[in-house]
Amino acid sequence: MGRKKKRQNDKVFCYYCDREFDDEKILVQHQKAKHFKCHACNKKLSTAGGMVIHVLQVHKESVTKVPNAKEGRESTEIEIYGMQGIPADVVAAHYGETEEETPSKSAKLDIPATNIVGGMMPGVAGFRPQAPYGMMQPPMYASHS
């Protein structure tokens, strides 16, 4: 495995207001205090989605915008925690890079659909597919013949 490419500016930044921080823990504290804080009871939530759910369930109100966010970044639909979840083009623009230079936060994999249920494939390791409803399956015992 190769080393991660270091940016000249290794500070982290807030997606919602572009403020820069030396440490991601401080960024998360900032987001909780400035962008994910309940306006009704001042509870600090971890994400915008968490804040929306809290306000809806506890206070029976709806929140449509992230508080104190720049224009165009007020959406509660995007799930951001610290630097995680920030679109690659926004990260690239912030650091003055092209999108091709931006390190990928997570690999995108095409995972084919399988018939694995609950972590086990039917018919494997002594497990058989379930019989249709109303039909009984014979017990699965080792024969003593």
Side-chain angles (χ1 to χ4, degrees):
M1 298 282 279
R3 296 179 115 207
K4 273 193 175 181
K5 184 174 147 185
K6 272 280 191 189
R7 293 188 173 96
Q8 280 88 2
N9 180 358
D10 58 356
K11 287 188 173 189
V12 294
F13 71 98
C14 177
Y15 168 76
Y16 298 104
C17 65
D18 275 337
R19 185 171 167 193
E20 290 191 337
F21 300 90
D22 294 324
D23 186 278
E24 194 162 8
K25 286 180 183 178
I26 298 166
L27 167 61
V28 169
Q29 288 175 343
H30 159 79
Q31 288 173 334
K32 287 180 175 185
K34 295 289 181 196
H35 304 297
F36 308 148
K37 189 171 170 181
C38 174
H39 69 279
C41 69
N42 293 328
K43 180 176 176 128
K44 294 175 185 174
L45 289 306
S46 295
T47 63
M51 178 188 61
V52 168
I53 292 168
H54 163 79
V55 172
L56 185 65
Q57 290 180 344
V58 176
H59 307 293
K60 310 295 186 245
E61 298 174 19
S62 64
V63 174
T64 56
K65 292 183 176 183
V66 174
N68 307 310
K70 288 173 65 174
E71 189 175 328
R73 295 198 187 166
E74 313 102 333
S75 174
T76 59
E77 297 298 311
I78 186 166
E79 197 72 10
I80 293 188
Y81 180 82
M83 289 287 290
Q84 296 172 1
I86 300 177
D89 59 326
V90 174
V91 174
H94 182 84
Y95 291 114
E97 302 171 346
T98 61
E99 215 171 319
E100 292 81 43
E101 295 171 352
T102 308
S104 174
K105 284 285 179 190
S106 62
K108 292 184 174 102
L109 300 174
D110 240 355
I111 300 171
T114 63
N115 62 346
I116 297 175
V117 179
M120 295 295 294
M121 263 182 97
V124 177
F127 290 95
R128 293 186 289 210
Q130 286 286 342
Y133 182 74
M135 295 185 68
M136 294 203 42
Q137 268 184 327
M140 203 167 175
Y141 299 117
S143 59
H144 296 288
S145 309

